[in-house]
Amino acid sequence: MNSRKEVISGFEIEASWRFELDESRKEEGLAEIAQAVKKKKIRYYPSFGACILEQMRYQTWQNRLIQGGILLLALALCLALKKSKLEDVESIVLGSAFMAFAANICLSGVGSLFSRNMAELEQTLYFNLKQMVCIQILQAGILDGFILALFVIFYGDRAMGGTGAYLLYIIVPFLWSDIIYLHLLASMRAGGRTKGLESGMRGFTTGVICGMAAIFPAFLENAYAVIYLPAWGIAALAGIVVLCLEVRRLFGKIEGGEGLCLN
Amino acid sequence: MEDNELIRRIQNGQKEYLNEIAAKYYDDIYYFCAYQTGNREDAYDLAQETFLRFIRYVDSYRYRNLKGYLLTIAMNLCRTYFHETARKRMGQEYTEEIAGCAGVDHTKGNAPDTVTGNTAGIGRMEQSQVLSEALLKLPAMQREAVVLHHFYGYKNREIAHMTGASCAAVKSRINQGLDKLKNLLHKEDFYE
């Protein structure tokens, strides 16, 4: 029998707190438990990390290849900009056009979720469609953030107005490019048996269009002057708000179901 | 075998190891339930239910401290048991009151725990009975903290995690619970 010496504020007591158990009752209990064990079916429950990893494997190798290519291109562009003798405005325009293009390419992973016959069938056992879209947007955001950081690190301090201003100049086209892509994704039906490649083509096309639109401020005199920074700030804030609304709209459509059903 | 290895094998499909866990921790869970509820008969059912619940949710078990997890299940079951018995007791008291007015005696006392065995065993049983009754006089939260700390050796932080209280609250419960327990045991001449 187990006994335990208890020291309670200087008083020593010997408390045999484990009294005799009724072995027959114990055996009955263990027998019931054994019955439950026999009926139990063990199901595989992957951890949250394992589920996230699975989602990362969900994108096709073509998508990954393109994203890898974009990353390498970004690095090459940054190094070129660093060494070049281009004027400030030209460097900013190049950077913002590239960010706008890259944003669409990175987000094309979200589009591929809706490229089958019914978006709802993309759901897995562990994540619903909204969660899968969230993860893809997060992946795209991480990649975009990485590219943004490259630009800012390599060129930010050389830009007129400083690193903060440069960040603002390239983030505004990036935000609005994302907004346009998500808006088109939620609004347009691709119809029939659309494959992932067509989703990629959509990303590429909108990327090119947004990239070209990002060049537009270069045609405005002094658009990148420090005096117009507040305007860029407002555009960035508006972009963030509208982006949140677009994401909300997309989730609303997923909730509704019929808006994104491609059949 | 270590608990982590047992769980890993169970989650990989070797469910027979669940019986090993039940055999390993049955006594601990039973004693906890017995001291928490003060009812040794019902403690067998509560201990069994603890393991049945564990089996139900073992697929998604992700904690590190298996014994602590089982004790937490037992703790929640004991709390539910208290709520239900309090309701029944209130109902019974009401019935007795009504019956008393009508002149009918519906009093049902729980038969005291019977002890079988030798004299030394009876001595230990009496001690544990006194201890059990004294513990039952503590508020539920103090009783939980005292039992987990002094009978099972859990630290304040671990108890805080299991019960959902803060460390300071657990420390206070243990100290206050022990003070009360000491006074109660003194009155019962527990200390020789």
Side-chain angles (χ1 to χ4, degrees):
Chain A
M1 172 65 66
N2 291 330
S3 66
R4 197 186 143 108
K5 271 201 172 150
E6 299 287 342
V7 180
I8 305 175
S9 300
F11 289 94
E12 242 184 61
I13 62 161
E14 191 150 327
S16 297
W17 62 283
R18 291 201 173 216
F19 45 85
E20 286 271 3
L21 218 75
D22 186 345
E23 286 298 325
S24 62
R25 289 292 302 270
K26 180 180 170 180
E27 288 309 314
E28 273 173 32
L30 289 174
E32 283 290 326
I33 291 163
Q35 283 298 315
V37 169
K38 267 193 201 154
K39 290 179 193 166
K40 173 74 186 170
K41 284 186 185 153
I42 300 287
R43 288 181 175 84
Y44 173 61
Y45 270 75
S47 66
F48 183 71
C51 288
I52 297 286
L53 222 69
E54 190 61 39
Q55 287 298 303
M56 288 184 69
R57 284 201 290 259
Y58 188 81
Q59 285 209 18
T60 60
W61 66 268
Q62 291 99 329
N63 258 350
R64 291 292 180 208
L65 201 64
I66 291 167
Q67 286 166 3
I70 289 288
L71 202 58
L72 286 171
L73 253 178
L75 194 59
L77 187 62
C78 288
L79 289 169
L81 281 175
K82 199 171 171 70
K83 287 181 185 168
S84 73
K85 291 188 172 68
L86 284 174
E87 284 187 19
D88 265 344
V89 171
E90 285 157 357
S91 302
I92 290 169
V93 165
L94 260 174
S96 53
F98 186 85
M99 274 308 301
F101 174 73
N104 277 263
I105 298 297
C106 293
L107 265 183
S108 61
V110 179
S112 68
L113 284 176
F114 304 108
S115 62
R116 303 291 191 269
N117 286 346
M118 279 180 74
E120 290 80 6
L121 291 179
E122 296 293 341
Q123 291 178 120
T124 69
L125 282 174
Y126 308 114
F127 285 132
N128 60 33
L129 194 54
K130 275 162 62 170
Q131 287 165 332
M132 290 170 72
V133 167
C134 245
I135 291 166
Q136 296 299 332
I137 289 176
L138 207 62
Q139 281 188 58
I142 290 169
L143 197 57
D144 287 330
F146 195 67
I147 296 172
L148 198 67
L150 278 176
F151 276 104
V152 169
I153 288 166
F154 277 91
Y155 192 79
D157 53 352
R158 283 172 54 189
M160 60 187 170
T163 311
Y166 184 71
L167 185 66
L168 215 50
Y169 296 141
I170 61 173
I171 215 170
V172 168
F174 159 72
L175 281 171
W176 287 97
S177 162
D178 274 347
I179 288 165
I180 291 166
Y181 182 86
L182 289 175
H183 188 82
L184 290 174
L185 180 68
S187 305
M188 281 168 56
R189 287 186 177 208
R193 296 190 326 241
T194 317
K195 297 227 162 63
L197 187 59
E198 292 201 23
S199 159
M201 287 306 293
R202 174 171 53 205
F204 183 81
T205 313
T206 49
V208 167
I209 294 169
C210 291
M212 284 165 63
I215 298 170
F216 178 70
F219 297 105
L220 300 172
E221 204 175 328
N222 297 325
Y224 295 111
V226 172
I227 195 167
Y228 291 115
L229 269 177
W232 284 94
I234 291 168
L237 273 169
I240 291 168
V241 169
V242 176
L243 184 64
C244 293
L245 290 172
E246 278 299 325
V247 170
R248 194 163 175 264
R249 182 168 163 257
L250 181 66
F251 286 160
K253 291 256 181 181
I254 292 169
E255 196 82 40
E258 67 284 354
L260 289 173
C261 178
L262 301 178
N263 254 342
Chain B
M1 203 183 296
E2 291 282 333
D3 288 344
N4 289 341
E5 180 58 24
L6 280 169
I7 294 293
R8 194 188 66 78
R9 291 191 185 196
I10 289 165
Q11 289 178 338
N12 277 342
Q14 294 169 285
K15 58 184 183 178
E16 59 272 13
Y17 287 105
L18 283 164
N19 294 316
E20 204 172 304
I21 288 176
K24 188 176 175 185
Y25 290 116
Y26 187 92
D27 290 6
D28 286 323
I29 300 302
Y30 169 76
Y31 286 120
F32 179 83
C33 293
Y35 278 109
Q36 278 298 109
T37 61
N39 190 323
R40 293 177 190 182
E41 290 304 310
D42 287 348
Y44 288 105
D45 295 330
L46 289 168
Q48 181 186 307
E49 184 58 30
T50 300
F51 287 102
L52 291 179
R53 285 206 183 180
F54 172 67
I55 289 165
R56 212 175 296 155
Y57 299 113
V58 72
D59 316 73
S60 51
Y61 174 83
R62 292 268 178 267
Y63 300 94
R64 282 185 207 167
N65 182 355
L66 178 57
K67 188 176 171 184
Y69 181 73
L70 290 168
L71 283 168
T72 307
I73 298 174
M75 187 166 52
N76 290 330
L77 281 169
C78 291
R79 287 178 183 175
T80 312
Y81 171 86
F82 270 121
H83 289 311
E84 282 171 10
T85 50
R87 265 207 305 270
K88 280 182 198 164
R89 230 178 304 139
M90 275 170 62
Q92 191 178 1
E93 279 165 11
Y94 182 70
T95 312
E96 281 168 13
E97 202 180 312
I98 299 294
C101 293
V104 177
D105 185 10
H106 277 279
T107 316
K108 268 194 290 189
N110 276 332
D113 286 344
T114 53
V115 177
T116 55
N118 56 32
T119 349
I122 288 168
R124 274 196 295 274
M125 282 293 276
E126 279 177 356
Q127 263 195 330
S128 64
Q129 184 73 26
V130 168
L131 188 58
S132 175
E133 283 166 8
L135 277 169
L136 215 51
K137 287 175 185 166
L138 299 180
M141 288 186 183
Q142 286 179 8
R143 183 169 57 248
E144 269 172 14
V146 166
V147 168
L148 286 170
H149 185 69
H150 280 279
F151 290 10
Y152 291 90
Y154 282 101
K155 296 188 177 53
N156 291 355
R157 194 177 56 245
E158 290 168 317
I159 298 169
H161 183 70
M162 285 160 73
T163 58
S166 66
C167 272
V170 166
K171 191 176 173 184
S172 160
R173 286 172 193 173
I174 291 170
N175 289 338
Q176 288 175 10
L178 281 177
D179 282 340
K180 279 187 197 149
L181 193 63
K182 226 176 23 170
N183 291 334
L184 288 164
L185 292 176
H186 266 303
K187 282 184 197 167
E188 298 289 336
D189 294 326
F190 192 84
Y191 301 105
E192 289 173 9

